[in-house]
Amino acid sequence: MLETIKKSILTGIGMALRSKAEIEEMAKEFAQNAEMNQAEAKEFLNEIRTKYDEARSDFDKKLETAVETVLKKLDLPTRSDIRELNSRIDELAEKLDKNS
């Protein structure tokens, strides 16, 4: 399980380390080398941008899931766990104030 998480993270990091501008530049160079006409090059570049945005979004989701999994395995409370506990403490404090 951890190996799968590591592979997902490393794959996503590889894409994330490349800026959108770098990827667009690589796509433009490819389009020039492949001798695409202007319409084909524009369509190719738009497709690359879309794929980049999708990959970035997928990476963010996978990273979030991986972090949540690790936190659960480490038995650390999540932000929502802490918020829930704070709410319960506030409720108990209110009850104590009413009874005092």
Side-chain angles (χ1 to χ4, degrees), residues 21-80:
E22 286 178 305
I23 290 175
E24 288 176 356
E25 187 60 36
M26 289 183 338
K28 286 178 186 176
E29 287 177 25
F30 176 79
Q32 288 173 347
N33 292 337
E35 297 180 5
M36 293 179 177
N37 67 37
Q38 192 171 7
E40 290 172 330
K42 186 175 182 177
E43 182 180 331
F44 176 67
L45 187 56
N46 287 336
E47 185 178 342
I48 293 296
R49 286 179 180 142
T50 301
K51 295 290 184 190
Y52 176 85
D53 291 339
E54 289 172 3
R56 183 73 180 209
S57 178
D58 288 346
F59 169 72
D60 290 344
K61 289 175 187 173
K62 287 179 182 178
L63 183 59
E64 190 174 311
T65 301
V67 169
E68 286 178 14
T69 301
V70 170
L71 287 176
K72 285 180 183 176
K73 284 187 177 203
L74 294 174
D75 201 25
L76 295 173
T78 63
R79 187 175 294 159
S80 62

Side-chain angles (χ1 to χ4, degrees), residues 7 10-11 31 44 49 70 80 83 85 88 100:
K7 285 180 183 179
L10 292 175
T11 300
F44 176 67
R49 286 179 180 142
V70 170
S80 62
R83 271 196 294 264
L85 286 172
R88 291 177 62 193
S100 296

